[in-house]
Amino acid sequence: MSPSSQGGYTLSLPGFDNEAAAYPDLFAEAADAPAAAVDVQAVVEVQVPKAWRPAMSAAAHTAQLVEWPTWDDEALAHIEGQATKFEANVSAINALRSIESEARPASASERRALLRYTGWGGIPASFNDEGRDPAWVERAGRLRQLLSADDHDSARASVNNSHYTDPIVIHWIWAALRRLGFQGGNILEPSAGVGHFLGCMPADFAQRSRVTAIELDRISGRILRSLYGACGVDVRIGGFEAATLAEGTYDLVLSNVPFGRYGVLDNRNRPYSRASIHNWFVGRALDVLRPGGLVCFITSTYFLDESDAGMRAHVASEADLVTAFRLPSGTFERIASTSVQADLVVLRKRAPGEAAAAAEWLDLDYVPKTMLREGCHEQYLRINRWFVRHPEHVLGRIDRVSNGFQAVPTAMLDGDLESALLGAQALVPKGAYSVQPKAPARTPRDIVPAPAGTRPGSLVVSEGRIGIVEGDHVVDLHDGLNATVRQRIAGMVDIRDRARALLSAQLGATTDQALIELRRRLNQSYDRFVGKHGYLSSRANALAFRRDPDYPLLLSLEHYDEEEEVATKAAIFSKRTVSPVREATVAEHPDEALALSMQWKGRVDPDYMARLLRATPEDAVADLSARGMIYLNPEGDRYEPADEYLSGNVKRKLTVALAAGDAYRANVAALEKVIPEDLPPGDIALRLGAVWVPADVVEAFIKEVLGLQDTAVRYLAVAGTWSVTFNDWAARQSVACIQEYGTRRMHAIDLVQHALNVQTPTVRDPHPEKDGAYIINKEETLAAREKLGLIRDRFAAWTYEDAPRRERLCRIYNDLFVRREVA
């Protein structure tokens, strides 16, 4: 299995004795050494009850080195409903904390708790401390207390994409891969979550595979490591874009990738660098895939249905579409709490010189009537041409359904999902994947274990030869480099490792005399290199060493002036630049104890402060409380520093403190001093569509100003959208709706809905020459936008015309938004 990338660096590498010459003889023949044994870890059978899940012969149990975890479908049973998922997530986090604090493997019950973690994508209310539902406000407070600030921020950032895949779908995908001919190999899961794709992997696949799993969210990544790290899975916690991966090495890249129209911070000049995130994942997956390898992604339908075929054209230039299935709306509803539809797309990367297959999947086509759902009579719905020509690959019938922003063609399945998946299994082309031929047997010199602590992509010198770390071994590059490049790389490897050794020593218990010696060796290595090959920042050295992930470290060793083309040494060559941070064991004053408690514990910890002060917790708390430096918050019954307690929504805190009784009189007095003054009506901008404005106010505006009595307005907080129910015939007969505040092409209620959902009204007409295409009617669009401005202005004036309504809205705004900020 690939070594973890989290380890430290060794003080020296093969071929670089501490006192050896700076440039070893790179042309000398190394002595033969015995081949390094490659540890292939075996696994036990996964118990899979469904029909399409493979069985494993008893003979495969005999030589197991590490037991592959058995997947239990019951682990995710009865996990429906947002409250149930929240509690399951909290239980998983508690289990994880126990496992990590005791540095031990998970027990059977803890593994079950970890597997029930479903992320936060379906329960965003878990992070809304100021919602209107008291139960969810309480849960959000509990979660904030349970997680560290970094973990809480990471979990909250995952809300948009933390939608885990139902194991029913994952088992079907593995069965499809088996039918394609895949039997195991180098596997990458770039958006792994807590590892359901790995947990459902057939045991015989796992026995023949080396797996790398990447997860951005800190909590999910640590759960993933607790579940599968001990089984040899190389778990990376971070973004796919930041992972150091050797290109052209993986046999299979599979995942349920993030969806969205936002991009990834990718500074490389690649054709997909500025693509939306789901398209970026496809492009990056092809880079790390070997020729003949497979990409198997659950991805947004916009990959295949986007009207701009630019990204599909780029993918088609490197890979062929093997098969695809349009999954119906609701496929991910049980686990992920989302009804979004998605596609399963399987791509095969072509070998250099291999002819491309016919790319009939680049363009869109109109959905024929035979594919439409009963009751849908749309004539101009367009989806990818491949699905139009292979309608059996669409699980369900196409209907026009709103996705929250617009109506789009959506596959709707009226039957059972599991039955539909089983029926589609026979559509997967059999034997489309071919196993990579075994490489010729390598000599002992070729098979070199990766030095401890090195990362994938690191350049090393092993037995006098240049190599690069890939997985758990070193791939020889020596014969492909000229003599000058070899010496440049060897010198920079030496400088890199001596710099790493010095940095590590500075953070350890190394004596000053030992640091002086390490510093002398770094200076000696650097001076020799610069004297022969120039500064580390020079173009020639950059070209030789830029692929190494530690090249930025080398650049930091010198201050380079590009205009003068002169470099000076950084401070590390002459003095200590970092020092170990050691926790204090004593404090002279309660103020110092409080500061140390916040630094090391992240909270007010009375017991910790008492140990520092050699006092009792009661005495430490009493002194700080008397001087107004900490306050006991009745919500959660925990102490908070004054700057935290006396900021934020202090009005709500005052209400809670008053209700808590006389014991909190000091809290009340302090909070009353920091209560901010209410803003007057003239300072509050009322906007149609502001989420703090009650729906009944908007409804009253429509009834009173637009004259439509049969109207209901609703705000859906979970989706962040407004809806207006009204009599369309009455709206089109109203002078106010189609003349005063609207147009005949877009009446006032349509414009109100645009304003509520922060959308820009646009009127389109059918294209005179192209069927199914539309052009913007500029005159009608301009008229509609002018009427929208008129509606917004009238709403802002109308809300303040009635005194009780004005006072109510000002009270809501001041209570919600006028707060005390931290000084």
Side-chain angles (χ1 to χ4, degrees):
M1 293 294 176
S2 300
S4 170
S5 63
Q6 304 298 320
Y9 282 81
T10 54
L11 301 187
S12 60
L13 287 175
F16 278 104
D17 184 84
N18 285 336
E19 295 301 327
Y23 304 108
D25 183 1
L26 299 177
F27 302 96
E29 292 294 330
D32 290 339
V38 179
D39 182 16
V40 181
Q41 300 192 16
V43 292
V44 297
E45 178 181 4
V46 178
Q47 303 299 323
V48 185
K50 298 297 181 184
W52 64 74
R53 304 173 201 172
M56 182 181 176
S57 64
H61 290 280
T62 56
Q64 309 304 326
L65 300 178
V66 174
E67 182 176 339
W68 187 260
T70 301
W71 178 262
D72 181 10
D73 276 338
E74 293 301 315
L76 294 176
H78 312 298
I79 196 166
E80 300 174 359
Q82 293 186 343
T84 303
K85 292 176 182 177
F86 177 88
E87 296 302 334
N89 286 355
V90 169
S91 298
I93 293 170
N94 286 325
L96 177 66
R97 292 178 64 177
S98 177
I99 294 165
E100 291 181 336
S101 64
E102 299 174 18
R104 59 172 175 78
S107 66
S109 60
E110 287 171 334
R111 285 191 61 86
R112 186 179 180 87
L114 296 178
L115 287 172
R116 290 175 65 81
Y117 184 85
T118 59
W120 307 102
I123 44 177
S126 305
F127 302 94
N128 188 359
D129 295 316
E130 299 160 10
R132 299 180 181 178
D133 187 337
W136 277 105
V137 171
E138 184 274 332
R139 293 186 184 107
R142 255 202 301 151
L143 184 63
R144 185 176 290 278
Q145 293 181 14
L146 179 64
L147 300 177
S148 67
D150 288 342
D151 286 346
H152 190 271
D153 290 344
S154 177
R156 181 171 54 190
S158 73
V159 165
N160 288 337
N161 283 311
S162 183
H163 299 289
Y164 294 166
T165 314
D166 196 313
I168 290 175
V169 179
I170 300 175
H171 286 305
W172 173 68
I173 291 173
W174 282 115
L177 287 168
R178 183 185 295 278
R179 183 175 174 84
L180 287 169
F182 183 80
Q183 298 178 356
N186 235 7
I187 299 176
L188 172 66
E189 220 288 33
S191 181
V194 297
H196 290 341
F197 272 90
L198 308 185
C200 296
M201 179 164 50
D204 57 330
F205 283 17
Q207 187 177 15
R208 295 187 289 265
S209 298
R210 181 179 289 130
V211 182
T212 301
I214 301 172
E215 172 54 34
L216 177 62
D217 176 49
R218 290 160 55 95
I219 297 173
S220 301
R222 285 154 53 197
I223 292 175
L224 175 69
R225 181 171 289 157
S226 296
L227 287 170
Y228 303 104
C231 305
V233 174
D234 180 10
V235 177
R236 317 275 187 90
I237 301 178
F240 186 21
E241 67 278 8
T244 304
L245 302 168
E247 297 191 355
T249 57
Y250 289 95
D251 301 292
L252 172 66
V253 185
L254 85 163
S255 187
N256 183 346
V257 302
F259 300 3
R261 292 193 176 272
Y262 56 93
V264 173
L265 183 59
D266 184 358
N267 295 323
R268 299 171 305 164
N269 186 20
R270 303 292 177 95
Y272 57 85
S273 294
R274 300 296 178 266
S276 56
I277 188 168
H278 47 270
N279 289 338
W280 184 92
F281 262 71
V282 176
R284 179 63 180 143
L286 289 174
D287 282 351
V288 301
L289 200 66
R290 70 162 178 85
L294 297 177
V295 170
C296 181
F297 277 174
I298 295 175
T299 185
S300 168
T301 55
Y302 282 104
F303 171 65
L304 290 177
D305 281 4
E306 183 70 51
S307 57
D308 182 359
M311 186 61 194
R312 292 194 295 275
H314 164 67
V315 172
S317 70
E318 298 186 18
D320 295 325
L321 180 68
V322 176
T323 190
F325 291 91
R326 175 138 300 176
L327 303 177
S329 175
T331 298
F332 308 101
E333 199 155 4
R334 183 175 74 97
I335 302 298
S337 299
T338 177
S339 60
V340 65
Q341 73 164 351
D343 291 337
L344 174 68
V345 177
V346 182
L347 302 163
R348 177 186 172 276
K349 185 175 181 179
R350 291 192 298 274
E354 183 180 351
E360 60 179 347
W361 53 284
L362 293 184
D363 299 319
L364 307 185
D365 207 343
Y366 292 104
V367 179
K369 292 182 179 180
T370 54
M371 292 183 67
L372 293 176
R373 192 183 190 195
E374 185 178 353
C376 178
H377 303 292
E378 294 286 340
Q379 299 181 19
Y380 303 110
L381 296 178
R382 297 207 304 166
I383 61 175
N384 192 278
R385 179 174 295 167
W386 196 89
F387 286 127
V388 173
R389 296 183 179 180
H390 302 84
E392 66 277 9
H393 285 251
V394 177
L395 304 188
R397 297 277 183 168
I398 300 297
D399 200 350
R400 189 171 183 267
V401 179
S402 173
N403 61 5
F405 300 97
Q406 59 182 334
V408 296
T410 304
M412 305 296 293
L413 181 65
D414 295 326
D416 177 62
L417 174 62
E418 191 167 355
S419 300
L421 292 173
L422 281 170
Q425 186 178 2
L427 301 175
V428 177
K430 198 168 185 178
Y433 171 82
S434 58
V435 179
Q436 185 177 21
K438 289 186 178 180
R442 295 189 287 181
T443 64
R445 186 175 64 189
D446 293 327
I447 306 174
V448 178
T454 53
R455 297 187 288 176
S458 293
L459 292 165
V460 297
V461 178
S462 178
E463 300 178 350
R465 295 178 67 84
I466 303 297
I468 186 171
V469 175
E470 289 188 5
D472 58 357
H473 63 282
V474 176
V475 175
D476 192 282
L477 300 177
H478 194 82
D479 295 332
L481 306 172
N482 63 45
T484 303
V485 172
R486 293 172 188 167
Q487 294 216 356
R488 289 182 190 274
I489 291 175
M492 286 188 281
V493 165
D494 187 35
I495 295 172
R496 178 198 66 192
D497 295 327
R498 293 187 190 279
R500 281 289 183 192
L502 179 55
L503 287 170
S504 298
Q506 288 182 147
L507 290 172
T510 310
T511 64
D512 289 341
Q513 188 60 39
L515 289 178
I516 291 173
E517 178 60 19
L518 290 172
R519 201 174 294 124
R520 181 190 68 80
R521 294 175 180 175
L522 176 61
N523 274 282
Q524 182 184 59
S525 180
Y526 177 84
D527 292 341
R528 287 175 178 172
F529 181 87
V530 172
K532 186 169 183 179
H533 297 292
Y535 297 116
L536 298 172
S537 303
S538 70
R539 176 174 172 78
N541 291 326
L543 291 173
F545 208 70
R546 69 185 186 280
R547 71 174 69 187
D548 189 286
D550 283 312
Y551 183 57
L553 170 65
L554 294 189
L555 295 179
S556 71
L557 297 179
E558 58 186 20
H559 303 299
Y560 188 70
D561 187 329
E562 294 184 359
E563 293 185 1
E564 299 294 332
E565 296 185 347
V566 174
T568 56
K569 292 181 179 179
I572 192 174
F573 286 94
S574 57
K575 61 182 180 182
R576 179 190 285 271
T577 55
V578 292
S579 300
V581 180
R582 294 185 175 89
E583 185 175 356
T585 58
V586 64
E588 300 297 331
H589 193 272
D591 296 24
E592 181 185 355
L594 175 60
L596 291 170
S597 178
M598 296 304 298
Q599 177 184 357
W600 291 98
K601 301 297 182 180
R603 57 187 174 86
V604 179
D605 188 331
D607 294 331
Y608 178 74
M609 294 189 298
R611 289 198 300 271
L612 294 175
L613 294 168
R614 305 293 192 269
T616 64
E618 292 76 14
D619 290 341
V621 166
D623 180 90
L624 293 169
S625 298
R627 293 188 291 121
M629 297 191 70
I630 62 173
Y631 292 90
L632 180 63
N633 191 336
E635 290 184 293
D637 196 32
R638 68 186 184 97
Y639 285 96
E640 296 178 2
D643 58 354
E644 178 183 344
Y645 183 68
L646 301 179
S647 62
N649 195 341
V650 290
K651 293 181 180 179
R652 182 175 62 83
K653 292 180 181 179
L654 177 59
T655 302
V656 173
L658 287 169
D662 292 341
Y664 295 91
R665 282 182 294 179
N667 296 41
V668 172
L671 288 167
E672 287 177 339
K673 293 179 181 179
V674 299
I675 293 291
E677 294 184 3
D678 287 345
L679 290 179
D683 292 341
I684 300 174
L686 270 165
R687 179 179 59 82
L688 184 60
V691 297
W692 61 273
V693 176
D696 63 278
V697 173
V698 180
E699 186 175 312
F701 170 75
I702 295 174
K703 291 179 178 179
E704 183 176 326
V705 176
L706 302 180
L708 294 182
Q709 301 304 313
D710 189 14
T711 304
V713 178
R714 183 186 177 197
Y715 176 67
L716 185 60
V718 175
T721 58
W722 293 80
S723 64
V724 181
T725 304
F726 64 99
N727 187 321
D728 187 67
W729 183 87
R732 296 190 181 280
Q733 303 304 312
S734 168
V735 174
C737 285
I738 65 173
Q739 291 186 15
E740 186 177 1
Y741 293 104
T743 70
R744 291 192 176 275
R745 293 293 300 274
M746 190 168 284
H747 58 65
I749 304 300
D750 285 337
L751 295 174
V752 166
Q753 293 188 89
H754 277 79
L756 290 173
N757 293 298
V758 197
Q759 296 173 341
T760 303
T762 303
V763 180
R764 292 180 173 85
D765 294 329
H767 195 285
E769 298 177 357
K770 298 180 180 179
D771 291 340
Y774 291 85
I775 57 175
I776 296 176
N777 186 320
K778 295 181 180 180
E779 291 76 12
E780 289 289 345
T781 296
L782 180 61
R785 292 178 182 179
E786 288 177 348
K787 295 295 185 181
L788 177 59
L790 183 63
I791 291 174
R792 285 171 172 161
D793 293 342
R794 183 69 186 100
F795 178 78
W798 172 85
T799 50
Y800 283 160
E801 290 174 357
D802 179 69
R805 182 170 59 236
R806 179 175 64 248
E807 293 300 321
R808 177 194 178 197
L809 291 172
C810 290
R811 181 77 272 135
I812 292 173
Y813 183 88
N814 281 294
D815 287 345
L816 284 176
F817 302 113
V818 179
R819 304 181 179 184
R820 177 75 175 181
E821 300 297 332
V822 179

